[in-house]
Amino acid sequence: MTHVSIKALSKTYPGASKPSLDQLSLEIPSGELTALLGPSGCGKTTTMKMIAGLLEPTSGDVTFDGRSILHEKPEHRGVVMVFQNYLLFPYMSVADNIAFGLKMRKVPRVEIDARVADMLALVKLPDLGTRRPADLSGGQQQRVALARALIVRPKVLLLDEPLSNLDAHLRFEMRDLIRGLQKDLGITTIFVTHDQEEAVVLADRVALILDGSLRQYAPADMFYKRPADEAVARFFGGHNFITGISDGVLFQSALGPLHLPDGARKGPGKLTFRPENVKVGVAAENTITARVVERVYLGTQTRLRLVVGEVAIEAVLSPDLVEGLAVGASVQVTLPRQTLWVLE
Amino acid sequence: MTDRMRIVLLLAPAMLVITVLFFGGLAVGLMRSFNYMPVIGLTEPNFDAYVAVFTSREFYQSFLLTFHIAFTSTVISSVLAIWAALLLRRQFLGKAVINFLFQLNLTVPHLVGAIGILYLFSQSGSFARLAYEWQLIAKPGDFPALVFDPYAIGIILQYVWKEIPFIGVIVLANMQAIGTDYEAVGRSLGANRWQAFRYVLLPMIFPGVLSASVMVFAFTFGAYEIPAILGQNFPAALPVLAYRKYTDVDLAARPEAMAMAMVIAVLSAVMIFLYLRYWRRSIRR
Amino acid sequence: MRRDPLALRSFRVLTGALLIVWLVLPLVPLAIWSFARGWRFPDLLPQEWSLKAWSYALSDTSGVVGSLGLTIGISAGATVLSILVGVPAGRALGMYRFRGKQVVELMILAPTIVPGIAVALGIHSVFIAMGLTNTVTGVMLVHLVPTLPYMVLVMAGIFANFDPSFEAQARSLGASPVQTFWYVTLPAILPGIIVGGMFAFLVSWSQYILTLLIGGGRVVTLPLLLFNFATSGRNDITGAIGMIYILPGILILLLTARHLSGQSGAVGGFGRL
């Protein structure tokens, strides 16, 4: 149950022209499962390593429950990191791997055996104690890695791309396991990923890091409904950015006047809405007439490219809703007020 | 052409060389050690040579001395090589220098190193002169005998000088392939620096260290020129003794020399066997 | 990595410095002796310097230059032979799996474990019968025994990483086997040939007992000459010859350094024994 506070953390590697991480500040409440999301090289793994003590920051601080941990050795911080390739010690059995942290702390043998057995049951691998890591499947190895980390009751758990090595059907199983364990044990957990789906599915809150700086820190749905800026919206697959002017109530652009939700910003900006929120049909407000210029069948969805004058918008709809709609046809679509948002 | 034929053709020249020269040499040596040489009319194999060898005090003393040399050199070199590799895998000032010196050392023949050790550690050598300069000794004879001595200190020093880079380069390559992440995991689980090395890294590099050590042991056991230059005449290292017997005016000594050569060969074979059977299997599962 | 405690860092620096000194140390007196004119105990450095040892070593009467040429020739010859024999064997071991492979590997690598003297005495008898003793050819052939395993080991490592699909691609584009080898295979395995050749050359270069026995003292390579002078007490000439003797090794190192440092496949291959 540790509150993690990251204050203006920066890292510039020796010889680099610009920082890998620039003044990152983040407050992670105790017991939460947080994702550090971003493309490769954005600084998220660097952040993890600095929290774990494997790397020294150029400036800034990291505190656990208000106390700075930067001066403590890695083995004293109470932070355990689980790497993407699990790194189970190849010459030890599963049980010995899990027991490793306890052995280093000189816990009595009897207690070790009992706790290892408990852990194996918790990660649903009760009979595999004597096996070697090389004999296990990827999913099993990950559970052992988790067990090895959790048995020492860390203050903070760090996971590096926990779901990316797994097949689709294993992902949900592991997702449930990780969330279940995390909530039961209440361990503040931070994981790093480049996959927004992984972040959305696993985390309580997501911190999006682009180019070394934090862009938005919020529950997952906010990135879809209320992205902080265009880069964030694009990262999450947003496609529609219409230039125009907002007065807080209406947005004026080549699409015509559109009603905005409460709290929308005022002034010149870009209107954004997600392709999947475009509705076919007429409604009380925000209905526009557009012409279909392209349609692509994607199996579970159909993607449409529509133009209004010179402005193009993208819509993604269930195939049966647009079956008869041909290229060149005119169609009326509605952009529901609550799905609109204005960016700078 | 089938794959099988292709493989046979590719291997033929090498197998020819190995079978004729290497195994052929061993076989002939074996035969001669049993006094069996039909080509010159000796058609009755006997154990005379072996009896002479195994009842000779000189042989046992040589054997023990040679074993001591090989064992001590191998152990010291391996331990120091692991430390050197640990040193070299991090970035630091002077790393390029040490790397270069390591590789340089690999190209310097043992003989040169042995002569260098001789000039450094003999009783009239550089260290003795330093001792005189610092008024620790009054004359060459006061300086402890480090070469031509019963403990073969000079010989061991020479081997250590040469084998630390040899084993070090292998262990370093190993360490770099493994990376530092495993130890990082160990540290984050609560292991301190020493524990991370002892329980995480060491088991992983051990197979490489072992195979290098086996090669070093065999080499230091069977090398001729280093003990010939740096060693006592009595007891002499086993290869020196064998050569001496072989070139003895008395031709009857030749089978004894062959017998000693066979002992050396058998010892190496035992090393390989032990390595393959026990250590490799327990490590490789 | 985070900063380690001062004690550990100082220890590392100290041992690092010691290591550097230790690695160079034995070569120093040899170098000094070669420029000394008499260097008696207890002088730390020679009172008189001279180039006499060098001029003698490089003259016709000492036989050093001739021996140098002979040794280069023998080692080069042994290296070429190792390449011709070792490359195909490396290909077989690196690219194929077959029954008895482990046995073959063991047989080829055996000379790296079994010391030369165990084999040389027997070979000597055989070579007497074949008239190869006391000949340069005989010495060159016997040098193959220790050099071949290294060549095969390196080439096997190289071929293990070589994708035969390249050759298949070349053939399907119309190249003959020879062309395929020359334009596709050879460039890919060349780094291995260089590294392996370097090992082979150095192994042959430092051979003593094999040359002594098979050459019968008639084929006087540089190590034999060096040994003789060293035991004769002429330290100055020994120093000069010693310096000459290590020169080709240093040259090879400088020429192929880039191949050796990054070549964990070749060097690390030793760890796979």
Side-chain angles (χ1 to χ4, degrees), chain B residues 117-184:
Chain B
I117 295 281
L118 184 66
Y119 292 172
L120 280 177
F121 291 100
S122 73
Q123 286 177 316
S124 61
S126 303
F127 279 112
R129 299 179 192 207
L130 259 180
Y132 181 89
E133 185 77 11
W134 293 335
Q135 295 172 345
L136 296 170
I137 63 170
K139 59 186 195 307
D142 290 343
F143 192 75
L146 296 173
V147 293
F148 313 125
D149 67 305
Y151 297 107
I153 296 178
I155 300 178
I156 293 176
L157 277 172
Q158 203 311 99
Y159 286 142
V160 166
W161 182 74
K162 233 352 219 150
E163 302 307 340
I164 289 182
F166 176 74
I167 304 179
V169 166
I170 294 175
V171 173
L172 182 63
N174 224 352
M175 283 187 187
Q176 285 170 334
I178 292 172
T180 54
D181 283 343
Y182 284 93
E183 288 156 274

Coordinates of all heavy atoms in Angstrom, one line a residue, chain B residues 117-184:
Chain B
I117 N 59.4 -14.2 -17.7 CA 59.3 -14.5 -16.3 C 60.6 -14.9 -15.7 O 61.0 -14.5 -14.6 CB 58.3 -15.7 -16.1 CG1 56.9 -15.3 -16.5 CG2 58.3 -16.2 -14.7 CD1 56.1 -14.5 -15.5
L118 N 61.4 -15.6 -16.5 CA 62.8 -15.9 -16.0 C 63.6 -14.7 -15.7 O 64.2 -14.5 -14.7 CB 63.5 -16.7 -17.1 CG 64.9 -17.3 -16.8 CD1 64.8 -18.3 -15.7 CD2 65.5 -17.9 -18.1
Y119 N 63.5 -13.7 -16.6 CA 64.3 -12.5 -16.5 C 63.7 -11.6 -15.3 O 64.4 -10.8 -14.8 CB 64.3 -11.7 -17.7 CG 65.1 -12.3 -18.8 CD1 65.1 -11.8 -20.1 CD2 65.9 -13.5 -18.6 CE1 65.9 -12.4 -21.1 CE2 66.6 -14.0 -19.6 CZ 66.6 -13.5 -20.9 OH 67.4 -14.0 -21.9
L120 N 62.5 -11.8 -15.0 CA 61.9 -11.0 -13.9 C 62.1 -11.7 -12.5 O 62.5 -11.0 -11.6 CB 60.4 -10.9 -14.1 CG 59.8 -9.9 -15.1 CD1 58.3 -10.1 -15.1 CD2 60.2 -8.5 -14.7
F121 N 62.0 -13.0 -12.5 CA 61.9 -13.6 -11.1 C 63.1 -14.4 -10.8 O 63.1 -15.0 -9.7 CB 60.6 -14.5 -11.0 CG 59.4 -13.7 -11.0 CD1 58.6 -13.5 -12.2 CD2 58.9 -13.1 -9.9 CE1 57.4 -12.8 -12.2 CE2 57.7 -12.3 -9.9 CZ 57.0 -12.2 -11.0
S122 N 64.1 -14.5 -11.6 CA 65.2 -15.4 -11.2 C 66.0 -14.6 -10.1 O 65.7 -13.5 -9.8 CB 66.1 -15.6 -12.4 OG 66.8 -14.4 -12.8
Q123 N 66.9 -15.3 -9.6 CA 67.6 -14.7 -8.4 C 68.5 -13.6 -8.8 O 68.9 -12.8 -8.0 CB 68.4 -15.8 -7.7 CG 67.5 -16.7 -6.9 CD 68.3 -17.8 -6.2 OE1 69.1 -18.5 -6.8 NE2 67.9 -18.1 -4.9
S124 N 68.8 -13.5 -10.1 CA 69.5 -12.3 -10.5 C 68.6 -11.4 -11.5 O 69.1 -10.6 -12.2 CB 70.8 -12.7 -11.3 OG 70.4 -13.4 -12.4
G125 N 67.3 -11.7 -11.4 CA 66.4 -11.0 -12.2 C 65.9 -9.6 -11.7 O 66.4 -9.1 -10.7
S126 N 65.0 -9.0 -12.4 CA 64.6 -7.7 -12.1 C 64.1 -7.5 -10.7 O 64.4 -6.5 -10.0 CB 63.5 -7.2 -13.1 OG 64.0 -7.3 -14.4
F127 N 63.2 -8.4 -10.2 CA 62.7 -8.3 -8.9 C 63.8 -8.4 -7.8 O 63.7 -7.8 -6.8 CB 61.5 -9.3 -8.7 CG 60.2 -8.8 -9.2 CD1 59.6 -9.4 -10.3 CD2 59.6 -7.7 -8.7 CE1 58.5 -9.0 -10.9 CE2 58.4 -7.2 -9.3 CZ 57.8 -7.9 -10.3
A128 N 64.7 -9.3 -8.1 CA 65.8 -9.5 -7.2 C 66.6 -8.2 -7.1 O 67.0 -7.8 -6.0 CB 66.7 -10.7 -7.6
R129 N 66.8 -7.6 -8.2 CA 67.6 -6.3 -8.2 C 66.8 -5.2 -7.5 O 67.4 -4.4 -6.8 CB 67.8 -5.9 -9.7 CG 68.7 -7.0 -10.4 CD 69.0 -6.6 -11.8 NE 69.5 -7.8 -12.5 CZ 70.3 -7.7 -13.6 NH1 70.7 -6.5 -14.0 NH2 70.7 -8.7 -14.2
L130 N 65.5 -5.2 -7.6 CA 64.7 -4.3 -6.9 C 64.8 -4.5 -5.4 O 65.0 -3.6 -4.6 CB 63.2 -4.5 -7.3 CG 62.6 -3.4 -8.2 CD1 61.1 -3.8 -8.5 CD2 62.7 -2.0 -7.7
A131 N 64.8 -5.8 -5.0 CA 65.0 -6.2 -3.6 C 66.3 -5.7 -3.1 O 66.4 -5.2 -2.0 CB 64.8 -7.7 -3.4
Y132 N 67.3 -5.8 -3.9 CA 68.7 -5.3 -3.5 C 68.6 -3.8 -3.4 O 69.2 -3.3 -2.4 CB 69.7 -5.7 -4.6 CG 71.1 -5.3 -4.3 CD1 71.9 -6.2 -3.6 CD2 71.6 -4.1 -4.7 CE1 73.2 -5.8 -3.3 CE2 72.8 -3.7 -4.5 CZ 73.7 -4.6 -3.7 OH 74.9 -4.2 -3.5
E133 N 68.0 -3.2 -4.3 CA 67.9 -1.7 -4.3 C 67.2 -1.2 -3.0 O 67.6 -0.2 -2.4 CB 67.1 -1.3 -5.5 CG 67.0 0.2 -5.7 CD 68.2 0.8 -6.3 OE1 69.1 0.0 -6.7 OE2 68.4 2.0 -6.3
W134 N 66.2 -2.0 -2.6 CA 65.5 -1.6 -1.4 C 66.1 -2.2 -0.1 O 65.5 -2.3 0.9 CB 64.0 -2.0 -1.5 CG 63.2 -1.2 -2.5 CD1 63.5 0.0 -3.0 CD2 62.1 -1.7 -3.2 NE1 62.6 0.4 -3.9 CE2 61.7 -0.6 -4.1 CE3 61.3 -2.8 -3.1 CZ2 60.6 -0.7 -4.9 CZ3 60.2 -2.9 -3.9 CH2 59.8 -1.8 -4.8
Q135 N 67.3 -2.8 -0.3 CA 68.1 -3.3 0.8 C 67.4 -4.5 1.5 O 67.5 -4.6 2.7 CB 68.5 -2.2 1.8 CG 69.4 -1.2 1.1 CD 69.7 0.0 1.9 OE1 69.0 0.3 2.9 NE2 70.7 0.7 1.5
L136 N 66.6 -5.3 0.7 CA 66.0 -6.4 1.4 C 66.9 -7.6 1.3 O 66.8 -8.6 2.0 CB 64.7 -6.7 0.7 CG 63.6 -5.6 0.8 CD1 62.4 -5.9 -0.1 CD2 63.1 -5.6 2.2
I137 N 67.8 -7.6 0.3 CA 68.8 -8.7 0.2 C 70.1 -8.2 -0.1 O 70.3 -7.0 -0.5 CB 68.4 -9.7 -1.0 CG1 68.5 -9.0 -2.3 CG2 67.0 -10.3 -0.7 CD1 68.4 -9.9 -3.5
A138 N 71.1 -9.0 0.2 CA 72.5 -8.6 0.0 C 73.2 -9.2 -1.2 O 74.1 -8.6 -1.8 CB 73.3 -8.9 1.3
K139 N 72.7 -10.3 -1.6 CA 73.3 -10.9 -2.8 C 72.2 -11.8 -3.5 O 71.2 -12.1 -2.8 CB 74.5 -11.8 -2.4 CG 74.2 -12.9 -1.4 CD 75.5 -13.5 -1.0 CE 75.3 -14.9 -0.3 NZ 74.4 -14.8 0.8
P140 N 72.4 -12.1 -4.8 CA 71.4 -12.9 -5.5 C 70.9 -14.1 -4.8 O 69.7 -14.4 -4.8 CB 72.1 -13.3 -6.8 CG 73.2 -12.3 -7.0 CD 73.6 -11.8 -5.6
G141 N 71.8 -14.8 -4.1 CA 71.4 -16.0 -3.4 C 70.3 -15.8 -2.3 O 69.6 -16.8 -1.9
D142 N 70.2 -14.6 -1.8 CA 69.3 -14.3 -0.8 C 67.9 -14.3 -1.3 O 66.9 -14.4 -0.5 CB 69.6 -13.0 -0.1 CG 70.9 -13.1 0.7 OD1 71.3 -14.2 1.0 OD2 71.5 -12.0 1.0
F143 N 67.7 -14.0 -2.5 CA 66.4 -13.8 -3.1 C 65.8 -15.2 -3.2 O 66.4 -16.2 -3.6 CB 66.5 -13.2 -4.5 CG 65.1 -12.8 -5.1 CD1 64.5 -11.6 -4.6 CD2 64.5 -13.5 -6.1 CE1 63.3 -11.2 -5.1 CE2 63.3 -13.1 -6.6 CZ 62.7 -12.0 -6.1
P144 N 64.5 -15.4 -2.8 CA 63.9 -16.7 -2.8 C 63.9 -17.3 -4.2 O 63.8 -16.6 -5.2 CB 62.5 -16.5 -2.3 CG 62.2 -15.0 -2.5 CD 63.6 -14.3 -2.3
A145 N 64.0 -18.6 -4.3 CA 64.1 -19.3 -5.6 C 62.6 -19.4 -6.1 O 61.8 -20.1 -5.6 CB 64.7 -20.7 -5.4
L146 N 62.4 -18.6 -7.1 CA 61.0 -18.6 -7.7 C 61.0 -19.4 -9.0 O 60.0 -19.8 -9.5 CB 60.5 -17.2 -7.9 CG 60.3 -16.4 -6.6 CD1 59.9 -15.0 -7.0 CD2 59.2 -17.0 -5.8
V147 N 62.2 -19.5 -9.6 CA 62.3 -20.3 -10.8 C 63.3 -21.5 -10.5 O 64.1 -21.3 -9.6 CB 62.7 -19.6 -12.0 CG1 61.7 -18.6 -12.4 CG2 64.1 -18.9 -11.8
F148 N 63.2 -22.5 -11.2 CA 64.0 -23.7 -10.9 C 63.7 -24.2 -9.5 O 64.6 -24.7 -8.8 CB 65.5 -23.5 -11.1 CG 65.8 -22.8 -12.4 CD1 66.6 -21.6 -12.3 CD2 65.4 -23.3 -13.6 CE1 66.9 -21.0 -13.5 CE2 65.7 -22.6 -14.8 CZ 66.5 -21.5 -14.7
D149 N 62.5 -24.0 -9.0 CA 62.2 -24.3 -7.6 C 61.3 -25.5 -7.5 O 60.6 -25.8 -8.4 CB 61.6 -23.1 -6.9 CG 60.2 -22.8 -7.5 OD1 60.1 -22.6 -8.7 OD2 59.3 -22.8 -6.7
P150 N 61.3 -26.1 -6.3 CA 60.4 -27.3 -6.2 C 58.9 -27.1 -6.2 O 58.2 -28.0 -6.5 CB 60.8 -27.9 -4.8 CG 61.5 -26.7 -4.1 CD 62.1 -25.8 -5.1
Y151 N 58.5 -25.8 -6.0 CA 57.1 -25.6 -6.1 C 56.6 -25.1 -7.4 O 55.5 -24.8 -7.6 CB 56.7 -24.6 -5.0 CG 56.9 -25.1 -3.6 CD1 58.0 -24.6 -2.8 CD2 56.1 -26.1 -3.0 CE1 58.2 -25.0 -1.6 CE2 56.4 -26.6 -1.8 CZ 57.4 -26.0 -1.0 OH 57.7 -26.5 0.2
A152 N 57.6 -25.0 -8.3 CA 57.3 -24.6 -9.7 C 56.6 -23.2 -9.8 O 55.7 -23.0 -10.6 CB 56.4 -25.6 -10.4
I153 N 57.0 -22.3 -8.9 CA 56.3 -21.0 -8.8 C 56.4 -20.2 -10.1 O 55.5 -19.7 -10.6 CB 56.9 -20.2 -7.6 CG1 56.5 -20.9 -6.3 CG2 56.2 -18.8 -7.6 CD1 57.1 -20.2 -5.1
G154 N 57.6 -20.2 -10.7 CA 57.8 -19.5 -11.9 C 57.0 -20.1 -13.0 O 56.4 -19.3 -13.8
I155 N 56.9 -21.4 -13.1 CA 56.1 -22.0 -14.1 C 54.6 -21.6 -14.0 O 54.0 -21.2 -14.9 CB 56.2 -23.5 -14.1 CG1 57.7 -23.9 -14.3 CG2 55.3 -24.2 -15.1 CD1 57.9 -25.4 -14.2
I156 N 54.2 -21.7 -12.7 CA 52.8 -21.3 -12.5 C 52.5 -19.9 -12.8 O 51.5 -19.5 -13.4 CB 52.4 -21.6 -11.0 CG1 52.4 -23.1 -10.8 CG2 51.0 -21.1 -10.7 CD1 52.2 -23.6 -9.4
L157 N 53.4 -19.0 -12.5 CA 53.3 -17.6 -12.8 C 53.2 -17.4 -14.3 O 52.3 -16.6 -14.8 CB 54.5 -16.8 -12.3 CG 54.5 -16.4 -10.9 CD1 55.8 -15.8 -10.5 CD2 53.4 -15.4 -10.6
Q158 N 54.0 -18.1 -15.1 CA 53.9 -18.0 -16.5 C 52.6 -18.4 -17.0 O 51.9 -17.8 -17.9 CB 55.0 -18.9 -17.1 CG 55.5 -18.6 -18.5 CD 54.5 -18.4 -19.6 OE1 54.2 -17.3 -19.9 NE2 54.0 -19.5 -20.2
Y159 N 52.1 -19.6 -16.6 CA 50.8 -20.1 -17.0 C 49.7 -19.1 -16.7 O 48.8 -18.8 -17.5 CB 50.5 -21.5 -16.5 CG 51.3 -22.6 -17.1 CD1 51.8 -23.6 -16.4 CD2 51.6 -22.5 -18.5 CE1 52.5 -24.6 -17.0 CE2 52.3 -23.5 -19.1 CZ 52.8 -24.6 -18.3 OH 53.5 -25.6 -18.9
V160 N 49.7 -18.6 -15.5 CA 48.7 -17.7 -15.0 C 48.7 -16.4 -15.9 O 47.7 -15.9 -16.4 CB 48.9 -17.3 -13.6 CG1 48.1 -16.0 -13.2 CG2 48.6 -18.4 -12.7
W161 N 49.9 -16.0 -16.3 CA 50.1 -14.8 -17.2 C 49.4 -15.0 -18.5 O 48.7 -14.1 -19.0 CB 51.5 -14.5 -17.4 CG 51.8 -13.3 -18.2 CD1 51.7 -12.0 -17.8 CD2 52.3 -13.3 -19.6 NE1 52.0 -11.2 -18.9 CE2 52.4 -11.9 -19.9 CE3 52.6 -14.3 -20.5 CZ2 52.8 -11.5 -21.2 CZ3 53.1 -13.9 -21.7 CH2 53.2 -12.5 -22.1
K162 N 49.5 -16.2 -19.0 CA 49.0 -16.5 -20.3 C 47.5 -16.9 -20.3 O 46.7 -16.6 -21.2 CB 49.7 -17.6 -20.9 CG 50.4 -17.6 -22.3 CD 50.2 -16.6 -23.2 CE 50.1 -17.3 -24.6 NZ 49.3 -16.6 -25.5
E163 N 47.1 -17.6 -19.2 CA 45.8 -18.2 -19.3 C 44.7 -17.2 -18.8 O 43.5 -17.4 -19.1 CB 45.7 -19.5 -18.5 CG 46.7 -20.5 -19.0 CD 46.6 -20.8 -20.5 OE1 45.6 -20.5 -21.1 OE2 47.6 -21.4 -21.0
I164 N 45.0 -16.2 -18.0 CA 44.0 -15.3 -17.5 C 43.3 -14.6 -18.8 O 42.1 -14.6 -18.9 CB 44.5 -14.2 -16.6 CG1 44.9 -14.8 -15.2 CG2 43.5 -13.1 -16.4 CD1 45.4 -13.8 -14.2
P165 N 44.1 -14.1 -19.7 CA 43.5 -13.5 -20.9 C 42.7 -14.6 -21.7 O 41.6 -14.3 -22.2 CB 44.6 -13.0 -21.8 CG 45.7 -12.7 -20.8 CD 45.6 -13.7 -19.7
F166 N 43.2 -15.8 -21.8 CA 42.6 -16.8 -22.6 C 41.2 -17.2 -22.0 O 40.2 -17.1 -22.7 CB 43.4 -18.1 -22.6 CG 42.8 -19.3 -23.3 CD1 42.7 -19.3 -24.7 CD2 42.3 -20.3 -22.6 CE1 42.1 -20.3 -25.4 CE2 41.7 -21.4 -23.3 CZ 41.6 -21.4 -24.6
I167 N 41.2 -17.5 -20.7 CA 39.9 -17.8 -20.1 C 39.1 -16.5 -20.0 O 37.8 -16.6 -20.2 CB 40.1 -18.4 -18.6 CG1 41.0 -19.6 -18.7 CG2 38.8 -18.7 -18.0 CD1 41.3 -20.2 -17.3
G168 N 39.7 -15.4 -19.7 CA 39.0 -14.1 -19.6 C 38.2 -13.8 -20.8 O 37.0 -13.3 -20.7
V169 N 38.8 -13.9 -22.0 CA 38.1 -13.6 -23.2 C 36.9 -14.4 -23.4 O 35.8 -13.9 -23.7 CB 39.0 -13.7 -24.4 CG1 38.3 -13.7 -25.7 CG2 40.1 -12.6 -24.4
I170 N 37.0 -15.7 -23.1 CA 35.8 -16.6 -23.2 C 34.7 -16.3 -22.2 O 33.6 -16.2 -22.6 CB 36.3 -18.1 -23.0 CG1 37.2 -18.5 -24.1 CG2 35.1 -19.0 -22.9 CD1 37.8 -19.9 -23.9
V171 N 35.1 -16.1 -21.0 CA 34.1 -15.7 -19.9 C 33.5 -14.4 -20.2 O 32.3 -14.2 -20.1 CB 34.8 -15.7 -18.6 CG1 33.8 -15.2 -17.5 CG2 35.3 -17.1 -18.2
L172 N 34.3 -13.4 -20.7 CA 33.7 -12.1 -21.0 C 32.6 -12.2 -22.1 O 31.6 -11.7 -22.0 CB 34.8 -11.2 -21.4 CG 34.4 -9.8 -21.7 CD1 33.8 -9.1 -20.5 CD2 35.5 -8.9 -22.3
A173 N 33.0 -13.0 -23.2 CA 32.0 -13.2 -24.3 C 30.7 -13.8 -23.7 O 29.6 -13.4 -24.1 CB 32.6 -14.1 -25.4
N174 N 30.9 -14.7 -22.9 CA 29.8 -15.4 -22.2 C 28.9 -14.4 -21.4 O 27.7 -14.3 -21.5 CB 30.3 -16.4 -21.2 CG 29.5 -17.7 -21.3 OD1 28.5 -17.8 -22.0 ND2 30.0 -18.7 -20.6
M175 N 29.6 -13.6 -20.6 CA 28.9 -12.6 -19.8 C 28.1 -11.6 -20.6 O 27.0 -11.2 -20.3 CB 29.9 -11.9 -18.9 CG 30.4 -12.6 -17.7 SD 31.3 -11.5 -16.6 CE 32.0 -12.7 -15.5
Q176 N 28.7 -11.2 -21.7 CA 28.1 -10.2 -22.5 C 26.9 -10.8 -23.2 O 25.9 -10.1 -23.4 CB 29.1 -9.6 -23.5 CG 30.0 -8.7 -22.9 CD 31.2 -8.2 -23.8 OE1 31.6 -9.0 -24.7 NE2 31.7 -7.1 -23.5
A177 N 26.9 -12.1 -23.5 CA 25.8 -12.7 -24.2 C 24.6 -12.8 -23.1 O 23.5 -12.7 -23.5 CB 26.2 -14.1 -24.7
I178 N 25.0 -13.0 -21.9 CA 23.9 -13.2 -20.9 C 23.3 -11.8 -20.5 O 22.1 -11.7 -20.3 CB 24.5 -13.8 -19.6 CG1 24.9 -15.3 -19.9 CG2 23.6 -13.8 -18.4 CD1 25.7 -15.9 -18.7
G179 N 24.1 -10.8 -20.5 CA 23.6 -9.5 -20.2 C 23.5 -9.3 -18.7 O 23.8 -10.1 -17.9
T180 N 23.1 -8.1 -18.3 CA 23.0 -7.8 -16.8 C 21.6 -7.9 -16.2 O 21.4 -7.7 -15.1 CB 23.6 -6.3 -16.6 OG1 22.8 -5.4 -17.4 CG2 25.0 -6.2 -16.9
D181 N 20.7 -8.2 -17.1 CA 19.3 -8.1 -16.6 C 19.0 -9.2 -15.5 O 18.2 -8.9 -14.6 CB 18.3 -8.3 -17.8 CG 18.1 -7.1 -18.6 OD1 18.5 -6.0 -18.0 OD2 17.7 -7.1 -19.7
Y182 N 19.6 -10.4 -15.6 CA 19.3 -11.4 -14.6 C 19.7 -10.9 -13.3 O 19.1 -11.1 -12.3 CB 20.0 -12.7 -15.0 CG 19.3 -13.5 -16.1 CD1 19.7 -13.3 -17.4 CD2 18.3 -14.4 -15.9 CE1 19.1 -14.0 -18.5 CE2 17.7 -15.1 -16.9 CZ 18.1 -14.9 -18.2 OH 17.5 -15.5 -19.2
E183 N 20.9 -10.3 -13.2 CA 21.4 -9.9 -11.9 C 20.5 -8.7 -11.4 O 20.3 -8.6 -10.2 CB 22.8 -9.4 -12.0 CG 23.8 -10.5 -12.2 CD 25.1 -10.0 -12.9 OE1 25.1 -10.0 -14.1 OE2 26.0 -9.6 -12.2
A184 N 20.0 -7.9 -12.4 CA 19.1 -6.8 -12.0 C 17.9 -7.4 -11.3 O 17.4 -6.9 -10.3 CB 18.7 -6.0 -13.2

